[in-house]
Amino acid sequence: MAEQNTTGSTTAGSIEVGTAGAGAQLAGPGTGRTTVHQPIDARVAVKPSFDVNDFPVPTGREEDWRFTPLHRLGGLHDGTAAAGERGEDKVGFTLPDGVTAETVGRDDARLGKAGTPVDRVAAQAFSGFEQALVVTVPKDAVLTEPVRIDVRGEGGVRFAHVVIDVKPFAEAVVVLNHEGTGTRAANVELLVGDGAKLTFVSVQDWDRDAVHAAQHSALVGRDASYKSVVVTFGGDLVRLHPRVSYAGPGGEAELFGLYFADAGQHLEHRLVIDHDTPHCRSNVAYKGALQGQDAHAVWVGDVLIRAAAVGTDTYELNRNLVLTDGARVDSIPNLEIETGEIVGAGHASATGRFDDEQLFYLQARGIPADEARRLVVRGFFAELLQQIGVAEVQDQLMEKIDAELEAAV
Amino acid sequence: MATLEIRDLHVSVDAENGPREILKGVDLTVKQGETHAIMGPNGSGKSTLAYSLAGHPKYTVTGGSVLLDGEDVLEMSVDERAKAGVFLAMQYPVEVPGVSVSNFLRTAATAVRGEAPKLRLWVKEVKEAMAALQMDPAFAERNVNEGFSGGEKKRHEILQLELLKPKIAILDETDSGLDVDALRIVSEGINRVRSTGEVGTLLVTHYTRILRYIQPDYVHVFAGGRIVESGGAELADKLENEGYEAYVKGGASE
């Protein structure tokens, strides 16, 4: 077994080897597809479903809800949001030549192909949206500038559904930027065609009082590359569910994330990578900083390597920098392996405070303490941003981080 | 002329069973243009002296004084000491992930000089200093000390010494972990800075090896938390031949 548990892990991780999590094959709604591969979390009892009524209302005792303050979800989990006042979003598009963005009805055949809602909130979003957005990057198109979808929430409750369909051998960067406020639940489907390359950047730059839950379901085609970049700064409660499964061998997924939780914010990222196909790779790196009373970050990284997924190579990492007292991190990497015929599988999680030696080193060069702290935090995130590979996006995110640090540290 | 005066300096660290005194009354005066070698066995406290002068929070000064041109160094924060002209080249330079060498150097130079150096002149200055230390220009884009070899870390320390132009340079075991070529390059860098006559150098070392390249004006033997003998360069030759045995008898060294 090629698994490893990297040193420096300060939180509990678990590696389970066995037959847990037998795959279920589900059909999408009216998609014409006979089956959709669905990851099943061994720890989660409820099967994925498009219908909100298939999920009981969570109580907070369930494994996948135990960290989430349900009373701050704005009723997304118990039907009260669905019955509440609808809100509007202002949405702006930047569409490079050849890229289309369509608003379609619920019966559009392209919906529901990449994944099925795995919890009641995602199913509520699917059951509740009125029109979906389908963005298509045509076959062989190599975009030289990013597709941008700028969403500004204007209060109220809104359910959304977005499909990003990158056809075979196309290459695209898609940025989904969230600002403003409201109570929002969404499903984002990412179809990465055979041989295609997609970098999907989701920025949560919400106002302080926003509530946002979303499931990002990616289906990575044969020899395709998918890069997910999740950046969460704003909101009162943000709970994101980036998920990856593979439609053919040779697929590659990189999931990068960074978050900055201030006093009272709850920022939760739950990742699932379902290796159900041979010779695919995945690499996860999430980094967060926290400061202030009751700043709370939750990171759960589930990687499942099924018996069929020989030749899998996977690694996941979570690092947290706790800047003040009163903040809390829950970090849980989890690896389930059903075959030993893999290239590698590992995980690491560490949560720490400022490294006093780093600060001393910088101060000993004349750099004042507050500036030294900013440099260290900036560096902590920059190390991750350097891996995004899209200069324009990197610069924009670095500016946001600088603004956050200017206001905070 | 800049002068560092250390008088009856006592320093403790927190140990499991309460504070433990490491420096037990150090007296030393270093003037601009002079080079003092502090030599001693492991555990004698010579690195503690170096870090205490720079203000490392691990060490508590329990007595004595340190003045730089009459200003009380012990009252200054770590960064204020650097701005006042105290520089510590560390034995184990710290990695700072995600912070590039070029960004770090410019931030430090801006802090120490009190204004941002003019970009064009700065680029030239860094380039020349790096070339003199036989450092690849690509080095500037790497993260501070991350993945550096032992030799690269020490060259990077001396690069900072050359760029920050302190009044008092404390070099803590700069020779440790260097092969002969790296030792020569690093020593030449130190000698370039010394030759300006603008810096007082405190060379902390266990071995006499680096003194073949850097001729000290004074040699001090450090044992048991204080200076036990002082002399000229010839004292280093004596240590080379006889070792520290004469100074550590009776458990004077800790």
Side-chain angles (χ1 to χ4, degrees), chain B residues 62-86:
Chain B
T62 55
S65 65
V66 178
L67 302 178
L68 177 61
D69 297 337
E71 299 282 326
D72 187 350
V73 172
L74 299 178
E75 282 295 308
M76 300 177 191
S77 63
V78 177
D79 55 302
E80 284 168 353
R81 295 180 196 205
K83 283 175 200 145
V86 177

mmCIF file with all atom_site columns, all heavy atoms in Angstrom, chain B residues 62-86:
data_model
loop_
_atom_site.group_PDB
_atom_site.id
_atom_site.type_symbol
_atom_site.label_atom_id
_atom_site.label_alt_id
_atom_site.label_comp_id
_atom_site.label_asym_id
_atom_site.label_entity_id
_atom_site.label_seq_id
_atom_site.pdbx_PDB_ins_code
_atom_site.Cartn_x
_atom_site.Cartn_y
_atom_site.Cartn_z
_atom_site.occupancy
_atom_site.B_iso_or_equiv
_atom_site.pdbx_formal_charge
_atom_site.auth_seq_id
_atom_site.auth_comp_id
_atom_site.auth_asym_id
_atom_site.auth_atom_id
_atom_site.pdbx_PDB_model_num
ATOM 1   N N   . THR B 1 62 ? 18.532 39.802 32.351 1.00 0.00 ? 62 THR B N   1
ATOM 2   C CA  . THR B 1 62 ? 18.268 39.972 33.782 1.00 0.00 ? 62 THR B CA  1
ATOM 3   C C   . THR B 1 62 ? 19.209 40.995 34.418 1.00 0.00 ? 62 THR B C   1
ATOM 4   O O   . THR B 1 62 ? 19.026 41.358 35.588 1.00 0.00 ? 62 THR B O   1
ATOM 5   C CB  . THR B 1 62 ? 18.401 38.633 34.526 1.00 0.00 ? 62 THR B CB  1
ATOM 6   O OG1 . THR B 1 62 ? 19.694 38.085 34.243 1.00 0.00 ? 62 THR B OG1 1
ATOM 7   C CG2 . THR B 1 62 ? 17.342 37.639 34.065 1.00 0.00 ? 62 THR B CG2 1
ATOM 8   N N   . GLY B 1 63 ? 20.204 41.435 33.654 1.00 0.00 ? 63 GLY B N   1
ATOM 9   C CA  . GLY B 1 63 ? 21.092 42.439 34.224 1.00 0.00 ? 63 GLY B CA  1
ATOM 10  C C   . GLY B 1 63 ? 22.080 42.945 33.201 1.00 0.00 ? 63 GLY B C   1
ATOM 11  O O   . GLY B 1 63 ? 22.287 42.318 32.154 1.00 0.00 ? 63 GLY B O   1
ATOM 12  N N   . GLY B 1 64 ? 22.660 44.121 33.477 1.00 0.00 ? 64 GLY B N   1
ATOM 13  C CA  . GLY B 1 64 ? 23.669 44.673 32.594 1.00 0.00 ? 64 GLY B CA  1
ATOM 14  C C   . GLY B 1 64 ? 23.078 45.604 31.551 1.00 0.00 ? 64 GLY B C   1
ATOM 15  O O   . GLY B 1 64 ? 21.883 45.922 31.589 1.00 0.00 ? 64 GLY B O   1
ATOM 16  N N   . SER B 1 65 ? 23.947 46.051 30.649 1.00 0.00 ? 65 SER B N   1
ATOM 17  C CA  . SER B 1 65 ? 23.480 47.013 29.642 1.00 0.00 ? 65 SER B CA  1
ATOM 18  C C   . SER B 1 65 ? 24.167 46.768 28.310 1.00 0.00 ? 65 SER B C   1
ATOM 19  O O   . SER B 1 65 ? 25.243 46.178 28.238 1.00 0.00 ? 65 SER B O   1
ATOM 20  C CB  . SER B 1 65 ? 23.775 48.443 30.114 1.00 0.00 ? 65 SER B CB  1
ATOM 21  O OG  . SER B 1 65 ? 25.179 48.624 30.195 1.00 0.00 ? 65 SER B OG  1
ATOM 22  N N   . VAL B 1 66 ? 23.482 47.193 27.247 1.00 0.00 ? 66 VAL B N   1
ATOM 23  C CA  . VAL B 1 66 ? 24.055 47.180 25.902 1.00 0.00 ? 66 VAL B CA  1
ATOM 24  C C   . VAL B 1 66 ? 23.757 48.536 25.279 1.00 0.00 ? 66 VAL B C   1
ATOM 25  O O   . VAL B 1 66 ? 22.591 48.924 25.150 1.00 0.00 ? 66 VAL B O   1
ATOM 26  C CB  . VAL B 1 66 ? 23.442 46.058 25.024 1.00 0.00 ? 66 VAL B CB  1
ATOM 27  C CG1 . VAL B 1 66 ? 24.042 46.121 23.615 1.00 0.00 ? 66 VAL B CG1 1
ATOM 28  C CG2 . VAL B 1 66 ? 23.676 44.682 25.640 1.00 0.00 ? 66 VAL B CG2 1
ATOM 29  N N   . LEU B 1 67 ? 24.797 49.267 24.947 1.00 0.00 ? 67 LEU B N   1
ATOM 30  C CA  . LEU B 1 67 ? 24.619 50.593 24.348 1.00 0.00 ? 67 LEU B CA  1
ATOM 31  C C   . LEU B 1 67 ? 25.236 50.615 22.958 1.00 0.00 ? 67 LEU B C   1
ATOM 32  O O   . LEU B 1 67 ? 26.319 50.095 22.737 1.00 0.00 ? 67 LEU B O   1
ATOM 33  C CB  . LEU B 1 67 ? 25.293 51.667 25.212 1.00 0.00 ? 67 LEU B CB  1
ATOM 34  C CG  . LEU B 1 67 ? 24.837 51.793 26.669 1.00 0.00 ? 67 LEU B CG  1
ATOM 35  C CD1 . LEU B 1 67 ? 25.651 52.878 27.380 1.00 0.00 ? 67 LEU B CD1 1
ATOM 36  C CD2 . LEU B 1 67 ? 23.341 52.094 26.755 1.00 0.00 ? 67 LEU B CD2 1
ATOM 37  N N   . LEU B 1 68 ? 24.495 51.231 22.021 1.00 0.00 ? 68 LEU B N   1
ATOM 38  C CA  . LEU B 1 68 ? 25.057 51.475 20.692 1.00 0.00 ? 68 LEU B CA  1
ATOM 39  C C   . LEU B 1 68 ? 25.120 52.992 20.529 1.00 0.00 ? 68 LEU B C   1
ATOM 40  O O   . LEU B 1 68 ? 24.073 53.651 20.467 1.00 0.00 ? 68 LEU B O   1
ATOM 41  C CB  . LEU B 1 68 ? 24.180 50.844 19.601 1.00 0.00 ? 68 LEU B CB  1
ATOM 42  C CG  . LEU B 1 68 ? 24.626 51.080 18.155 1.00 0.00 ? 68 LEU B CG  1
ATOM 43  C CD1 . LEU B 1 68 ? 26.014 50.500 17.892 1.00 0.00 ? 68 LEU B CD1 1
ATOM 44  C CD2 . LEU B 1 68 ? 23.614 50.481 17.174 1.00 0.00 ? 68 LEU B CD2 1
ATOM 45  N N   . ASP B 1 69 ? 26.319 53.513 20.516 1.00 0.00 ? 69 ASP B N   1
ATOM 46  C CA  . ASP B 1 69 ? 26.528 54.965 20.491 1.00 0.00 ? 69 ASP B CA  1
ATOM 47  C C   . ASP B 1 69 ? 25.720 55.647 21.590 1.00 0.00 ? 69 ASP B C   1
ATOM 48  O O   . ASP B 1 69 ? 25.069 56.668 21.358 1.00 0.00 ? 69 ASP B O   1
ATOM 49  C CB  . ASP B 1 69 ? 26.140 55.537 19.122 1.00 0.00 ? 69 ASP B CB  1
ATOM 50  C CG  . ASP B 1 69 ? 27.025 54.977 18.015 1.00 0.00 ? 69 ASP B CG  1
ATOM 51  O OD1 . ASP B 1 69 ? 28.156 54.533 18.324 1.00 0.00 ? 69 ASP B OD1 1
ATOM 52  O OD2 . ASP B 1 69 ? 26.580 54.958 16.865 1.00 0.00 ? 69 ASP B OD2 1
ATOM 53  N N   . GLY B 1 70 ? 25.727 55.016 22.739 1.00 0.00 ? 70 GLY B N   1
ATOM 54  C CA  . GLY B 1 70 ? 25.056 55.610 23.892 1.00 0.00 ? 70 GLY B CA  1
ATOM 55  C C   . GLY B 1 70 ? 23.566 55.307 23.977 1.00 0.00 ? 70 GLY B C   1
ATOM 56  O O   . GLY B 1 70 ? 22.934 55.559 25.002 1.00 0.00 ? 70 GLY B O   1
ATOM 57  N N   . GLU B 1 71 ? 22.971 54.774 22.901 1.00 0.00 ? 71 GLU B N   1
ATOM 58  C CA  . GLU B 1 71 ? 21.542 54.445 22.914 1.00 0.00 ? 71 GLU B CA  1
ATOM 59  C C   . GLU B 1 71 ? 21.347 53.062 23.538 1.00 0.00 ? 71 GLU B C   1
ATOM 60  O O   . GLU B 1 71 ? 22.124 52.139 23.264 1.00 0.00 ? 71 GLU B O   1
ATOM 61  C CB  . GLU B 1 71 ? 20.981 54.421 21.485 1.00 0.00 ? 71 GLU B CB  1
ATOM 62  C CG  . GLU B 1 71 ? 21.084 55.739 20.738 1.00 0.00 ? 71 GLU B CG  1
ATOM 63  C CD  . GLU B 1 71 ? 20.011 56.735 21.164 1.00 0.00 ? 71 GLU B CD  1
ATOM 64  O OE1 . GLU B 1 71 ? 18.887 56.275 21.479 1.00 0.00 ? 71 GLU B OE1 1
ATOM 65  O OE2 . GLU B 1 71 ? 20.300 57.940 21.193 1.00 0.00 ? 71 GLU B OE2 1
ATOM 66  N N   . ASP B 1 72 ? 20.295 52.927 24.339 1.00 0.00 ? 72 ASP B N   1
ATOM 67  C CA  . ASP B 1 72 ? 20.030 51.675 25.035 1.00 0.00 ? 72 ASP B CA  1
ATOM 68  C C   . ASP B 1 72 ? 19.403 50.654 24.075 1.00 0.00 ? 72 ASP B C   1
ATOM 69  O O   . ASP B 1 72 ? 18.226 50.735 23.733 1.00 0.00 ? 72 ASP B O   1
ATOM 70  C CB  . ASP B 1 72 ? 19.076 51.946 26.203 1.00 0.00 ? 72 ASP B CB  1
ATOM 71  C CG  . ASP B 1 72 ? 18.893 50.715 27.077 1.00 0.00 ? 72 ASP B CG  1
ATOM 72  O OD1 . ASP B 1 72 ? 19.341 49.618 26.680 1.00 0.00 ? 72 ASP B OD1 1
ATOM 73  O OD2 . ASP B 1 72 ? 18.306 50.860 28.167 1.00 0.00 ? 72 ASP B OD2 1
ATOM 74  N N   . VAL B 1 73 ? 20.211 49.701 23.657 1.00 0.00 ? 73 VAL B N   1
ATOM 75  C CA  . VAL B 1 73 ? 19.746 48.686 22.695 1.00 0.00 ? 73 VAL B CA  1
ATOM 76  C C   . VAL B 1 73 ? 18.679 47.787 23.327 1.00 0.00 ? 73 VAL B C   1
ATOM 77  O O   . VAL B 1 73 ? 17.726 47.375 22.668 1.00 0.00 ? 73 VAL B O   1
ATOM 78  C CB  . VAL B 1 73 ? 20.943 47.839 22.197 1.00 0.00 ? 73 VAL B CB  1
ATOM 79  C CG1 . VAL B 1 73 ? 20.472 46.652 21.365 1.00 0.00 ? 73 VAL B CG1 1
ATOM 80  C CG2 . VAL B 1 73 ? 21.906 48.706 21.395 1.00 0.00 ? 73 VAL B CG2 1
ATOM 81  N N   . LEU B 1 74 ? 18.823 47.510 24.609 1.00 0.00 ? 74 LEU B N   1
ATOM 82  C CA  . LEU B 1 74 ? 17.910 46.559 25.262 1.00 0.00 ? 74 LEU B CA  1
ATOM 83  C C   . LEU B 1 74 ? 16.481 47.103 25.340 1.00 0.00 ? 74 LEU B C   1
ATOM 84  O O   . LEU B 1 74 ? 15.534 46.334 25.490 1.00 0.00 ? 74 LEU B O   1
ATOM 85  C CB  . LEU B 1 74 ? 18.424 46.216 26.663 1.00 0.00 ? 74 LEU B CB  1
ATOM 86  C CG  . LEU B 1 74 ? 19.812 45.562 26.677 1.00 0.00 ? 74 LEU B CG  1
ATOM 87  C CD1 . LEU B 1 74 ? 20.265 45.300 28.117 1.00 0.00 ? 74 LEU B CD1 1
ATOM 88  C CD2 . LEU B 1 74 ? 19.832 44.271 25.874 1.00 0.00 ? 74 LEU B CD2 1
ATOM 89  N N   . GLU B 1 75 ? 16.346 48.425 25.234 1.00 0.00 ? 75 GLU B N   1
ATOM 90  C CA  . GLU B 1 75 ? 15.014 49.033 25.250 1.00 0.00 ? 75 GLU B CA  1
ATOM 91  C C   . GLU B 1 75 ? 14.331 48.946 23.885 1.00 0.00 ? 75 GLU B C   1
ATOM 92  O O   . GLU B 1 75 ? 13.140 49.204 23.768 1.00 0.00 ? 75 GLU B O   1
ATOM 93  C CB  . GLU B 1 75 ? 15.107 50.513 25.662 1.00 0.00 ? 75 GLU B CB  1
ATOM 94  C CG  . GLU B 1 75 ? 15.285 50.720 27.141 1.00 0.00 ? 75 GLU B CG  1
ATOM 95  C CD  . GLU B 1 75 ? 14.082 50.238 27.931 1.00 0.00 ? 75 GLU B CD  1
ATOM 96  O OE1 . GLU B 1 75 ? 12.961 50.655 27.597 1.00 0.00 ? 75 GLU B OE1 1
ATOM 97  O OE2 . GLU B 1 75 ? 14.264 49.419 28.860 1.00 0.00 ? 75 GLU B OE2 1
ATOM 98  N N   . MET B 1 76 ? 15.110 48.595 22.862 1.00 0.00 ? 76 MET B N   1
ATOM 99  C CA  . MET B 1 76 ? 14.572 48.623 21.492 1.00 0.00 ? 76 MET B CA  1
ATOM 100 C C   . MET B 1 76 ? 13.900 47.300 21.143 1.00 0.00 ? 76 MET B C   1
ATOM 101 O O   . MET B 1 76 ? 14.303 46.241 21.610 1.00 0.00 ? 76 MET B O   1
ATOM 102 C CB  . MET B 1 76 ? 15.701 48.866 20.475 1.00 0.00 ? 76 MET B CB  1
ATOM 103 C CG  . MET B 1 76 ? 16.443 50.174 20.658 1.00 0.00 ? 76 MET B CG  1
ATOM 104 S SD  . MET B 1 76 ? 17.789 50.267 19.425 1.00 0.00 ? 76 MET B SD  1
ATOM 105 C CE  . MET B 1 76 ? 18.705 51.677 20.056 1.00 0.00 ? 76 MET B CE  1
ATOM 106 N N   . SER B 1 77 ? 12.854 47.388 20.274 1.00 0.00 ? 77 SER B N   1
ATOM 107 C CA  . SER B 1 77 ? 12.268 46.167 19.718 1.00 0.00 ? 77 SER B CA  1
ATOM 108 C C   . SER B 1 77 ? 13.246 45.571 18.705 1.00 0.00 ? 77 SER B C   1
ATOM 109 O O   . SER B 1 77 ? 14.251 46.194 18.353 1.00 0.00 ? 77 SER B O   1
ATOM 110 C CB  . SER B 1 77 ? 10.932 46.488 19.045 1.00 0.00 ? 77 SER B CB  1
ATOM 111 O OG  . SER B 1 77 ? 11.151 47.368 17.958 1.00 0.00 ? 77 SER B OG  1
ATOM 112 N N   . VAL B 1 78 ? 12.950 44.369 18.254 1.00 0.00 ? 78 VAL B N   1
ATOM 113 C CA  . VAL B 1 78 ? 13.849 43.672 17.328 1.00 0.00 ? 78 VAL B CA  1
ATOM 114 C C   . VAL B 1 78 ? 14.094 44.513 16.070 1.00 0.00 ? 78 VAL B C   1
ATOM 115 O O   . VAL B 1 78 ? 15.237 44.688 15.637 1.00 0.00 ? 78 VAL B O   1
ATOM 116 C CB  . VAL B 1 78 ? 13.267 42.292 16.948 1.00 0.00 ? 78 VAL B CB  1
ATOM 117 C CG1 . VAL B 1 78 ? 14.154 41.595 15.920 1.00 0.00 ? 78 VAL B CG1 1
ATOM 118 C CG2 . VAL B 1 78 ? 13.125 41.414 18.196 1.00 0.00 ? 78 VAL B CG2 1
ATOM 119 N N   . ASP B 1 79 ? 13.009 45.045 15.492 1.00 0.00 ? 79 ASP B N   1
ATOM 120 C CA  . ASP B 1 79 ? 13.185 45.794 14.245 1.00 0.00 ? 79 ASP B CA  1
ATOM 121 C C   . ASP B 1 79 ? 13.876 47.137 14.491 1.00 0.00 ? 79 ASP B C   1
ATOM 122 O O   . ASP B 1 79 ? 14.630 47.613 13.634 1.00 0.00 ? 79 ASP B O   1
ATOM 123 C CB  . ASP B 1 79 ? 11.845 45.989 13.520 1.00 0.00 ? 79 ASP B CB  1
ATOM 124 C CG  . ASP B 1 79 ? 10.786 46.632 14.390 1.00 0.00 ? 79 ASP B CG  1
ATOM 125 O OD1 . ASP B 1 79 ? 10.474 46.075 15.446 1.00 0.00 ? 79 ASP B OD1 1
ATOM 126 O OD2 . ASP B 1 79 ? 10.271 47.698 14.006 1.00 0.00 ? 79 ASP B OD2 1
ATOM 127 N N   . GLU B 1 80 ? 13.654 47.711 15.681 1.00 0.00 ? 80 GLU B N   1
ATOM 128 C CA  . GLU B 1 80 ? 14.348 48.977 15.988 1.00 0.00 ? 80 GLU B CA  1
ATOM 129 C C   . GLU B 1 80 ? 15.859 48.759 16.090 1.00 0.00 ? 80 GLU B C   1
ATOM 130 O O   . GLU B 1 80 ? 16.636 49.609 15.678 1.00 0.00 ? 80 GLU B O   1
ATOM 131 C CB  . GLU B 1 80 ? 13.813 49.556 17.302 1.00 0.00 ? 80 GLU B CB  1
ATOM 132 C CG  . GLU B 1 80 ? 12.448 50.204 17.173 1.00 0.00 ? 80 GLU B CG  1
ATOM 133 C CD  . GLU B 1 80 ? 11.796 50.520 18.520 1.00 0.00 ? 80 GLU B CD  1
ATOM 134 O OE1 . GLU B 1 80 ? 12.343 50.111 19.568 1.00 0.00 ? 80 GLU B OE1 1
ATOM 135 O OE2 . GLU B 1 80 ? 10.738 51.150 18.505 1.00 0.00 ? 80 GLU B OE2 1
ATOM 136 N N   . ARG B 1 81 ? 16.251 47.618 16.625 1.00 0.00 ? 81 ARG B N   1
ATOM 137 C CA  . ARG B 1 81 ? 17.691 47.316 16.708 1.00 0.00 ? 81 ARG B CA  1
ATOM 138 C C   . ARG B 1 81 ? 18.298 47.232 15.313 1.00 0.00 ? 81 ARG B C   1
ATOM 139 O O   . ARG B 1 81 ? 19.393 47.728 15.060 1.00 0.00 ? 81 ARG B O   1
ATOM 140 C CB  . ARG B 1 81 ? 17.912 45.996 17.448 1.00 0.00 ? 81 ARG B CB  1
ATOM 141 C CG  . ARG B 1 81 ? 17.466 46.070 18.903 1.00 0.00 ? 81 ARG B CG  1
ATOM 142 C CD  . ARG B 1 81 ? 17.684 44.755 19.621 1.00 0.00 ? 81 ARG B CD  1
ATOM 143 N NE  . ARG B 1 81 ? 16.902 44.765 20.868 1.00 0.00 ? 81 ARG B NE  1
ATOM 144 C CZ  . ARG B 1 81 ? 17.185 44.051 21.942 1.00 0.00 ? 81 ARG B CZ  1
ATOM 145 N NH1 . ARG B 1 81 ? 18.237 43.225 21.942 1.00 0.00 ? 81 ARG B NH1 1
ATOM 146 N NH2 . ARG B 1 81 ? 16.437 44.127 23.016 1.00 0.00 ? 81 ARG B NH2 1
ATOM 147 N N   . ALA B 1 82 ? 17.554 46.565 14.405 1.00 0.00 ? 82 ALA B N   1
ATOM 148 C CA  . ALA B 1 82 ? 18.051 46.441 13.030 1.00 0.00 ? 82 ALA B CA  1
ATOM 149 C C   . ALA B 1 82 ? 18.176 47.825 12.396 1.00 0.00 ? 82 ALA B C   1
ATOM 150 O O   . ALA B 1 82 ? 19.158 48.125 11.718 1.00 0.00 ? 82 ALA B O   1
ATOM 151 C CB  . ALA B 1 82 ? 17.122 45.550 12.213 1.00 0.00 ? 82 ALA B CB  1
ATOM 152 N N   . LYS B 1 83 ? 17.182 48.668 12.649 1.00 0.00 ? 83 LYS B N   1
ATOM 153 C CA  . LYS B 1 83 ? 17.219 50.021 12.071 1.00 0.00 ? 83 LYS B CA  1
ATOM 154 C C   . LYS B 1 83 ? 18.338 50.851 12.688 1.00 0.00 ? 83 LYS B C   1
ATOM 155 O O   . LYS B 1 83 ? 18.909 51.726 12.031 1.00 0.00 ? 83 LYS B O   1
ATOM 156 C CB  . LYS B 1 83 ? 15.875 50.725 12.284 1.00 0.00 ? 83 LYS B CB  1
ATOM 157 C CG  . LYS B 1 83 ? 14.816 50.227 11.326 1.00 0.00 ? 83 LYS B CG  1
ATOM 158 C CD  . LYS B 1 83 ? 13.457 50.854 11.636 1.00 0.00 ? 83 LYS B CD  1
ATOM 159 C CE  . LYS B 1 83 ? 12.362 50.013 11.031 1.00 0.00 ? 83 LYS B CE  1
ATOM 160 N NZ  . LYS B 1 83 ? 11.151 49.983 11.842 1.00 0.00 ? 83 LYS B NZ  1
ATOM 161 N N   . ALA B 1 84 ? 18.648 50.572 13.964 1.00 0.00 ? 84 ALA B N   1
ATOM 162 C CA  . ALA B 1 84 ? 19.741 51.299 14.628 1.00 0.00 ? 84 ALA B CA  1
ATOM 163 C C   . ALA B 1 84 ? 21.106 50.852 14.119 1.00 0.00 ? 84 ALA B C   1
ATOM 164 O O   . ALA B 1 84 ? 22.109 51.518 14.376 1.00 0.00 ? 84 ALA B O   1
ATOM 165 C CB  . ALA B 1 84 ? 19.643 51.095 16.137 1.00 0.00 ? 84 ALA B CB  1
ATOM 166 N N   . GLY B 1 85 ? 21.142 49.699 13.397 1.00 0.00 ? 85 GLY B N   1
ATOM 167 C CA  . GLY B 1 85 ? 22.405 49.288 12.804 1.00 0.00 ? 85 GLY B CA  1
ATOM 168 C C   . GLY B 1 85 ? 22.983 47.985 13.327 1.00 0.00 ? 85 GLY B C   1
ATOM 169 O O   . GLY B 1 85 ? 24.139 47.676 13.098 1.00 0.00 ? 85 GLY B O   1
ATOM 170 N N   . VAL B 1 86 ? 22.148 47.205 14.042 1.00 0.00 ? 86 VAL B N   1
ATOM 171 C CA  . VAL B 1 86 ? 22.618 45.890 14.502 1.00 0.00 ? 86 VAL B CA  1
ATOM 172 C C   . VAL B 1 86 ? 22.128 44.830 13.508 1.00 0.00 ? 86 VAL B C   1
ATOM 173 O O   . VAL B 1 86 ? 20.949 44.791 13.173 1.00 0.00 ? 86 VAL B O   1
ATOM 174 C CB  . VAL B 1 86 ? 22.060 45.567 15.911 1.00 0.00 ? 86 VAL B CB  1
ATOM 175 C CG1 . VAL B 1 86 ? 22.493 44.163 16.347 1.00 0.00 ? 86 VAL B CG1 1
ATOM 176 C CG2 . VAL B 1 86 ? 22.528 46.617 16.913 1.00 0.00 ? 86 VAL B CG2 1
#
